Amino acid sequence: MNFEGVHTPLVTPFNADGEINHDLLGKHAADLAGRVAGLGIGGTTGEYYALSFDERVRTFNTVAEAAGGKTVLTAGINATTTKEVIRLGQEAKRAGLSALLVAAPYYAQPTQGELLAHLLKVDDTLDMPIMLYNFPARTGTEISDGILETLLERPNFIAMKESTGDISHLHHLATRFGDRLVLSCGMDDQALEFFVWGTRSWVGGASNFLPEAHTALFDACVKRRDFASGRELMAKLLPVLELLERSGKFIQYVRYGCELAGLPVGAARAPLGSLSEEERNAFAQIVKPLMRNDQ
């Protein structure tokens, strides 16, 4: 288990009444299973924070049934308490998922000592490969060097999705931990920079609707080390990725991207709203040319 390649954090499709469309979720997972290196269930893109415990568990089972054995499946199990994280992890393990994505519990803002105890407890209880998720803008708590030093003494802590957006922090992680930690790009508009610094993993929300464009960039930079081609490919993707990362409407744009790709996944759950007609039209203009090549 090395988390290499493009991993798609699956969007959660909703019906018009706001309930999860499990048939569409399974279909989407099965379709992507042969097109990317792995799938994530219960990540930010899937709006895990807006789902009940039972809804999250059912999404694990839906994707496992649709795509299990066809690709790597990673369960996002973040929650506000250690008990809830472990319960979710146990359900993911029961469903047969391959690995876990674990962030700092959001809103609670534990100290670094408390966060370390939390992560060790999760590992002690679940004993599964883990990708950490460093996203302090959402969780309120960073995963520090001190925590990494301790966790990397254990075999299950393999990777970290780095989503601070701070290029200097990417440099720091790559030079200090690069030989012990699989770094995964978690800031999509910086993917090229991550690859230059040796990253071999990318968890990209827009791969829900542009999987081939993502894998083409990954293959050029990581597999062939052809950064001239990588720059050309990134230049085409960059307007889409910058809008997702910088607009404050990441989930809404991913959902509309899926609609443009022929996969209507419904609106985000409130309090998130929908895109304006102007936003939809502008996004379609930059996405549709990429979709013609994303087959």
Side-chain angles (χ1 to χ4, degrees), residues 208-225:
N208 274 279
F209 57 92
L210 290 172
E212 275 72 32
H214 283 63
T215 56
L217 177 60
F218 180 89
D219 290 350
C221 295
V222 177
K223 293 185 178 180
R224 301 197 304 274
R225 308 297 293 171

Side-chain angles (χ1 to χ4, degrees), residues 6-241:
V6 174
H7 292 248
T8 301
L10 293 169
V11 67
T12 302
F14 295 125
N15 294 316
D17 62 2
E19 296 301 309
I20 298 173
N21 185 331
H22 285 274
D23 289 340
L24 188 56
L25 175 60
K27 178 183 176 182
H28 184 41
D31 176 64
L32 284 174
R35 301 165 71 186
V36 294
L39 304 175
I41 312 98
T44 306
T45 308
E47 296 174 66
Y48 75 88
Y49 53 83
L51 307 184
S52 70
F53 179 88
D54 289 342
E55 285 179 320
R56 292 177 71 177
V57 171
R58 191 174 171 195
T59 62
F60 293 162
N61 290 312
T62 294
V63 175
E65 291 170 8
K70 300 174 184 177
T71 190
V72 173
L73 302 179
T74 301
I77 60 170
N78 202 35
T80 53
T81 67
T82 304
K83 180 179 179 180
E84 188 89 341
V85 169
I86 289 172
R87 287 179 67 214
L88 285 163
Q90 289 168 333
E91 293 295 340
K93 194 170 188 175
R94 187 173 294 116
L97 274 62
S98 317
L100 305 172
L101 178 71
V102 184
Y106 58 93
Y107 198 80
Q109 293 189 310
T111 67
Q112 290 296 290
E114 291 165 341
L115 177 58
L116 178 59
H118 165 77
L119 294 169
L120 293 175
K121 179 67 173 178
V122 169
D123 183 38
D124 287 341
T125 307
L126 300 175
D127 189 22
M128 291 175 67
I130 292 173
M131 175 184 282
L132 297 164
Y133 188 5
N134 191 35
F135 200 180
R138 289 285 183 116
T139 66
T141 307
E142 68 168 343
I143 298 175
S144 68
D145 287 1
I147 286 179
L148 284 176
E149 289 288 359
T150 300
L151 297 183
L152 290 174
E153 295 174 359
R154 296 187 169 210
N156 284 330
F157 291 97
I158 297 168
M160 185 167 77
K161 180 182 177 185
E162 165 60 13
S163 299
T164 64
D166 183 352
I167 290 292
S168 65
H169 192 54
L170 165 62
H171 298 163
H172 170 75
L173 291 171
T175 53
R176 178 164 177 175
F177 297 102
D179 60 340
R180 293 178 284 160
L181 177 71
V182 176
L183 277 178
S184 185
C185 174
M187 189 58 64
D188 294 339
D189 59 354
Q190 297 173 357
L192 185 64
E193 289 81 0
F194 272 80
F195 296 148
V196 167
W197 281 92
T199 296
R200 303 181 64 85
S201 174
W202 183 10
V203 181
S207 63
N208 274 279
F209 57 92
L210 290 172
E212 275 72 32
H214 283 63
T215 56
L217 177 60
F218 180 89
D219 290 350
C221 295
V222 177
K223 293 185 178 180
R224 301 197 304 274
R225 308 297 293 171
D226 180 359
F227 286 102
S229 295
R231 284 193 299 273
E232 292 179 7
L233 292 166
M234 187 62 175
K236 296 175 183 178
L237 261 177
L238 195 56
V240 174
L241 301 182

